[in-house]
Amino acid sequence: MNQSLTLDLGKPGYVTKRLAPMLGNGILRSNGIVWAQQRKIIAPEFFVDKVKGMVGLMVESAEPLLRKWERCIGGGVVAEIRVDEDLRSVSADVISRACFGSSYFKGKHIFSKLRNLQKLMSKQPLLFGVPTFGAKRESSKEKDLMQMILEGAINDRFVVSKDASKRFIVDNCKNIYFAGHESTAVAASWCLMLLALHPEWQARVREEVAQVCREGLIDAESLTKMKTVTMVIQEALRLYPPAAFVSREALEETQIGHFTIPKGVCTWTLIPTLHRDSNNWGCDANEFRPERFAHGVSSACKVPHAYIPFGLGPRLCLGRNFALAQLKVVLSLIVSKFTFSLSPKYIHSPAYRMIVEPEHGVHILVQRSELG
Ligand code: HEM
């Protein structure tokens, strides 16, 4: 279903209607030719080369978290920290700086309003996902993502009037924030939970980061060398994929393989079910074993197409490279500065809401690492 190229399969009406006040007509809820056009304009801004240029700002965005945790430990040995909100702030800051050229901390009131809106909406069983946009970075000559996307929109024959390009930009700012902020933060929380539970993998990650980051410097080149970190992230996204499902509606009668899907019928792909299928992953499907990804996804399971934390096919996540880079930066910084274990306060309860999140948060006990 997800691999089908037909524009006759789209986001279901019942989902898009509810998300309309939050997402306007942006890429997440649009279908058909309107979606194809938006994708064409936005996609190039998330290509690997563009993301490489954002690693520096990802590191900058994570620094306040490191300083905060340092302060929490203070003169003591160990501090108990609930990581979720701190990771959400990092994620919001990264996306805000990268896309909108402004700092999360400056636009905090906008974020909290949008988060409240998302909290309300996540009480309804929907898909995954929250939004913002802010003022332009005053002094920077660099173009931020949104400026480039806006230029793409203005130069595009489909987005003709000034009003249409304004609408396009505002709606897609919300969409990118919605799609990227929460999901990446939650993925980072799950990674920390699993690393807290598996000190042997924490040690391996710490060792790798020390080896690949010369003088402790994390840059685009060092990220490409982080094999262990990548395996840990892949395994965390397998066990706790932030997007619980992808859904499609047949906008017209559609043929998929031997099946004829009548117009108006909705289909769902349940990602956690695929990711824990022992027929595909083996009898240890429910266990945390990052080494299964040592030779890539294709060797980790029988049917690699059933590993879809970022979806599959034409609507594959646009922010995949962005999210993976951010996760590597955040994890490698935290693991190189701190050692941590799960706090007795942690209650394991993955909640299947708009995204699969730890219902009671992730509490860890943090100490300064000897390397940090
Ligand atoms: C770990 C983090 C993330 C996960 C697990 C994730 C997951 C997904 C999934 C499963 C889809 C496909 C939805 C579908 O087929 O219906 C998707 C789409 C999308 N994602 Fe992500 N995502 C993440 C991070 C991001 C980030 C950081 C951004 C942007 C900066 C982003 C932007 C988008 C956009 C724009 C789409 C819609 C693509 C389209 O409909 O053409 N995502 N994401």
Side-chain angles (χ1 to χ4, degrees):
M1 173 189 88
N2 294 84
Q3 278 178 294
S4 168
L5 294 179
T6 175
L7 291 178
D8 290 342
L9 280 179
K11 291 289 172 82
Y14 81 95
V15 172
T16 58
K17 271 187 203 124
R18 282 199 224 165
L19 290 177
M22 201 147 105
L23 300 178
N25 291 321
I27 186 166
L28 284 174
R29 58 175 295 276
S30 59
N31 286 324
I33 192 74
V34 176
W35 163 77
Q37 205 53 31
Q38 305 202 41
R39 178 114 189 165
K40 195 185 96 193
I41 297 170
I42 299 171
E45 305 314 329
F46 287 97
F47 288 168
V48 174
D49 276 357
K50 295 271 169 72
V51 172
K52 277 187 183 166
M54 300 176 197
V55 174
L57 69 87
M58 291 175 179
V59 173
E60 275 174 37
S61 297
E63 277 163 359
L65 174 146
L66 303 176
R67 286 197 295 270
K68 184 179 168 193
W69 291 13
E70 274 284 342
R71 281 197 306 276
C72 288
I73 300 173
V77 178
V78 62
E80 187 182 80
I81 291 174
R82 180 175 169 160
V83 304
D84 322 65
E85 274 306 323
D86 292 347
L87 291 170
R88 201 171 281 127
S89 297
V90 175
S91 192
D93 195 54
V94 169
I95 240 174
S96 175
R97 286 184 203 225
C99 297
F100 317 117
S102 72
S103 162
Y104 164 69
F105 298 103
K106 287 185 201 156
K108 216 170 177 174
H109 61 289
I110 302 176
F111 281 91
S112 66
K113 282 187 178 159
L114 292 168
R115 176 143 174 77
N116 288 342
L117 188 56
Q118 189 233 352
K119 270 189 190 161
L120 281 175
M121 300 192 77
S122 76
K123 290 195 175 135
Q124 305 164 343
L126 276 173
L127 66 169
F128 76 101
V130 170
T132 200
F133 47 97
K136 263 193 242 161
R137 214 173 338 195
E138 281 145 32
S139 57
S140 173
K141 289 201 180 85
E142 281 172 38
K143 288 184 183 179
D144 57 51
L145 265 171
M146 277 306 147
Q147 268 173 282
M148 294 190 287
I149 292 171
L150 181 56
E151 281 167 23
I154 287 168
N155 296 330
D156 196 277
R157 66 194 167 87
F158 277 82
V159 190
V160 276
S161 72
K162 230 181 175 182
D163 276 354
S165 43
K166 248 194 232 164
R167 197 65 274 144
F168 175 98
I169 201 75
V170 170
D171 284 351
N172 278 299
C173 284
K174 295 185 196 169
N175 278 244
I176 287 172
Y177 186 75
F178 179 88
H181 149 247
E182 193 86 356
S183 46
T184 316
V186 163
S189 290
W190 286 123
C191 287
L192 287 188
M193 187 279 283
L194 288 162
L195 284 173
L197 207 55
H198 296 274
E200 70 287 7
W201 281 98
Q202 217 183 107
R204 284 177 70 169
V205 166
R206 197 167 293 118
E207 201 178 311
E208 179 178 82
V209 175
Q211 263 172 23
V212 302
C213 301
R214 277 164 295 137
E215 293 163 17
L217 194 77
I218 295 177
D219 55 16
E221 202 197 324
S222 52
L223 292 194
T224 60
K225 295 182 187 155
M226 291 183 186
K227 305 289 175 222
T228 309
V229 183
T230 307
M231 280 152 57
V232 166
I233 295 171
Q234 284 174 317
E235 182 70 338
L237 290 173
R238 182 183 73 80
L239 289 168
Y240 302 103
F245 62 89
V246 290
S247 51
R248 296 287 182 270
E249 178 176 334
L251 307 172
E252 298 296 336
E253 185 177 283
T254 310
Q255 195 68 31
I256 303 180
H258 301 302
F259 297 101
T260 305
I261 318 280
K263 182 176 171 178
V265 166
C266 293
T267 59
W268 292 268
T269 307
L270 304 177
I271 301 178
T273 314
L274 288 179
H275 284 187
R276 287 177 182 248
D277 180 359
S278 54
N279 291 322
N280 194 29
W281 299 92
C283 54
D284 60 359
N286 285 323
E287 285 165 34
F288 177 72
R289 287 193 55 239
E291 64 270 31
R292 71 176 91 239
F293 287 103
H295 303 289
V297 177
S298 50
S299 312
C301 57
K302 287 184 199 149
V303 187
H305 280 151
Y307 179 67
I308 53 164
F310 296 101
L312 186 70
R315 294 198 83 141
L316 176 77
C317 175
L318 270 185
R320 184 181 172 276
N321 299 320
F322 186 96
L324 290 175
Q326 187 186 322
L327 286 170
K328 285 186 195 176
V329 166
V330 170
L331 292 183
S332 52
L333 281 171
I334 292 178
V335 173
S336 55
K337 298 267 180 239
F338 306 103
T339 54
F340 46 92
S341 56
L342 263 188
S343 157
K345 256 197 189 166
Y346 174 73
I347 301 167
H348 190 63
S349 174
Y352 289 76
R353 300 181 179 141
M354 270 168 121
I355 49 174
V356 182
E357 55 187 327
E359 185 170 12
H360 309 289
V362 173
H363 297 81
I364 57 173
L365 299 173
V366 182
Q367 286 179 279
R368 283 186 194 93
S369 142
E370 277 161 30
L371 296 174

